[in-house]
Amino acid sequence: MEAVQIGKDMRLVGSVWHNPVERKIYQGRAGERYRGQIVLDVSTIQAQVVLEEVLGLARPLCRLRQACRVINIPQLTLSVDIATKIAAQEKVAPLVEAEVKAQTYTRVNFDLWKNVTHVVLEDEVQKRAAHDILRLHVEDAAKALAQAENSQIYAVMKTATAVTGESWNAMTTPPNNDYDPFNKIGEAIEAIEGEGYEPDFMAVPPRAWNAFIRNSYVRELVKAGIVKVAETGTTFTLPGWPGIQVIVDTGMTEATPTDSIAVLGDSTAPGIVLGNGPTESARYRNEPCGYDAFIIRQWLEPRLVVGNAIRRLTGIIT
């Protein structure tokens, strides 16, 4: 892409965008599908490399995405009809035609918002650096985008129907805890299954997971190896429910520990839908100020769709 003037002191050097539906990177700004794929000029290649690195580094950090059904949206607005539930007619007599029970659909209107990170490389730092400055900035940009996405999904989780829980760390008479965490977890699972859905995740903040595995009703399971706390990453299997993955993410951390919640739900129902839009990277040069910069924009929107497929467990930390 040829450099063009975008302001008095700044000029665009190259820009690319990632189409989440086709999983391809195109030259130009988000939505410009017909300019063809990447051309081999240095400035655009640099923007592509930065975008690919940010996407690659951010993806493993977007942990709460596992709690969502992801719908890839190449543009910024879209209406999607999502099938939610179908009922069966019971005890149909011989030679009797069953009633036609149409699938229920919910229309979800997405109007994606934009999360932005800015990577700025001043000339002095670039000239003095003894290591890869760009790589460090790209890693920070990826973390920032992942944190923004996780916090926005969590904000939607907090609107789910509440189930009053019991403290996982309350201990009136040490070394035994007052409550068994599985009691209320089972109640939340039962509420979801009672609506015809199958919970496949439980999302918790680190402090709640710490209280859970140290709870006297659970720690013997840890010692026996039933609770796999040494697995790689931050996703674990909930004991007794092998189909339920525990997602541990700092984005769920509350300023006040007593506000901590655990969220259980069916990601396929879906309880929460994540509208995953395009991601764009543009490189520009500010000559008077003496710096090169990359700006990365990500469009997305999480929405609570099937309220009966998700529950939030409150009062788990005291």
Side-chain angles (χ1 to χ4, degrees), residues 54 58 62 115-117 140-150 296 298:
V54 169
C62 297
N115 296 331
V116 181
T117 59
D140 290 341
K143 291 176 183 178
L145 285 176
Q147 288 171 351
E149 178 181 309
N150 289 332
I296 299 100
Q298 179 188 34

Side-chain angles (χ1 to χ4, degrees), residues 48-49 137 229 237:
Q48 179 186 4
V49 169
H137 283 282
V229 297
T237 300

Side-chain angles (χ1 to χ4, degrees), residues 150-225:
N150 289 332
S151 67
Q152 289 163 0
I153 293 174
Y154 178 51
V156 174
M157 287 179 165
K158 290 196 289 186
T159 66
T161 301
V163 173
T164 303
E166 297 170 334
S167 174
W168 295 352
N169 64 337
M171 187 181 293
T172 303
T173 308
N176 297 316
N177 288 96
D178 296 345
Y179 304 104
D180 183 349
F182 290 110
N183 289 337
K184 288 297 183 175
I185 289 174
E187 184 178 320
I189 292 173
E190 189 174 292
I192 295 169
E193 290 181 339
E195 297 292 341
Y197 302 103
E198 292 292 332
D200 59 4
F201 75 87
M202 182 176 79
V204 293
R207 64 163 60 108
W209 179 245
N210 182 54
F212 177 83
I213 62 176
R214 297 176 64 187
N215 183 281
S216 58
Y217 290 91
V218 179
R219 62 182 176 227
E220 293 304 318
L221 299 177
V222 176
K223 292 179 182 178

Side-chain angles (χ1 to χ4, degrees), residues 65 112-113 115 149 152 274-277 298-302:
R65 184 174 285 217
L112 308 186
W113 57 65
N115 296 331
E149 178 181 309
Q152 289 163 0
L274 176 64
N276 182 42
Q298 179 188 34
W299 283 268
L300 57 83
E301 183 186 7

Side-chain angles (χ1 to χ4, degrees), residues 19 21 32 52 59 78 93 152 154 200 203 225 237-238 281 286:
N19 185 325
V21 175
E32 296 177 345
E52 288 176 336
R59 193 170 290 113
L78 184 70
Q152 289 163 0
Y154 178 51
D200 59 4
T237 300
L238 186 66
S281 175
N286 189 320

Side-chain angles (χ1 to χ4, degrees), residues 206-284:
R207 64 163 60 108
W209 179 245
N210 182 54
F212 177 83
I213 62 176
R214 297 176 64 187
N215 183 281
S216 58
Y217 290 91
V218 179
R219 62 182 176 227
E220 293 304 318
L221 299 177
V222 176
K223 292 179 182 178
I226 298 174
V227 178
K228 301 292 185 180
V229 297
E231 293 180 19
T232 302
T234 52
T235 302
F236 313 87
T237 300
L238 186 66
W241 288 276
I244 298 180
Q245 297 296 309
V246 180
I247 306 166
V248 182
D249 187 72
T250 56
M252 298 181 66
T253 302
E254 296 284 352
T256 304
T258 53
D259 292 332
S260 299
I261 62 173
V263 180
L264 295 98
D266 185 342
S267 65
T268 64
I272 298 175
V273 171
L274 176 64
N276 182 42
T279 304
E280 178 182 272
S281 175
R283 176 174 177 253
Y284 68 90

Side-chain angles (χ1 to χ4, degrees), residues 286-298:
N286 189 320
E287 191 60 43
C289 293
Y291 66 80
D292 294 299
F294 289 90
I295 187 165
I296 299 100
R297 307 178 183 92
Q298 179 188 34

